Amino acid sequence: VQLQASGGGWVQSGGSLRLSCAASGFPQNSYQRLGWYRQAPGKEREEVACISSSDGSTTYGRSNQGRFTISRDVAKNTIYLQVNNLRPEDTGVYYCVADWSYYELKGPCVAPRLYGQGTLVTVSS
């Protein structure tokens, strides 16, 4: 399984970004749960958002406050994270994460099996 994240960069406070993660290599007939974690400087990694492949249901971490939206393109096996009204405290490395199983996976991305390489988001005040 491979995860390829992109879309990070530098943005001013109040701006927006869209992160992308292309996923590939899942076992045939498996269910997936994909999502985003982030790690701010000096802080622990935290869940940002998660989406289920079986029904597209989504969950969000405590940092959301209505500013993050996770979505997916089933045909491209790609997920996106739209982040609006960025704040300096959103600065950090954003990781695409994945779980897969032969059973349906829904709910938060708890202890993901795989982390992608991460993409850096820097928000200046």
Side-chain angles (χ1 to χ4, degrees):
V1 176
Q2 291 187 326
L3 303 173
Q4 184 66 44
S6 61
W10 179 88
V11 64
Q12 286 189 321
S13 182
S16 299
L17 278 177
R18 190 177 81 154
L19 307 181
S20 302
C21 176
S24 62
F26 292 109
Q28 194 173 10
N29 299 322
S30 68
Y31 294 96
Q32 299 101 43
R33 183 169 56 203
L34 302 173
W36 296 92
Y37 269 62
R38 72 179 183 183
Q39 187 165 22
K43 295 188 177 181
E44 293 186 355
R45 204 172 285 183
E46 62 174 345
E47 179 183 350
V48 176
C50 198
I51 188 165
S52 169
S53 70
S54 57
D55 62 358
S57 58
T58 60
T59 59
Y60 292 91
R62 290 176 295 176
S63 58
N64 181 27
Q65 300 176 355
R67 298 184 296 118
F68 301 160
T69 302
I70 189 170
S71 61
R72 63 175 180 166
D73 184 325
V74 175
K76 295 181 180 179
N77 212 16
T78 297
I79 63 167
Y80 305 95
L81 183 70
Q82 178 71 37
V83 188
N84 299 323
N85 191 22
L86 280 157
R87 305 166 181 169
E89 54 264 38
D90 294 318
T91 293
V93 179
Y94 285 68
Y95 298 91
C96 181
V97 300
D99 267 317
W100 57 96
S101 170
Y102 291 108
Y103 300 95
E104 285 191 290
L105 294 173
K106 298 181 182 180
C109 294
V110 178
R113 187 184 302 191
L114 179 66
Y115 282 78
Q117 87 282 8
T119 184
L120 178 63
V121 173
T122 303
V123 184
S124 65
S125 58

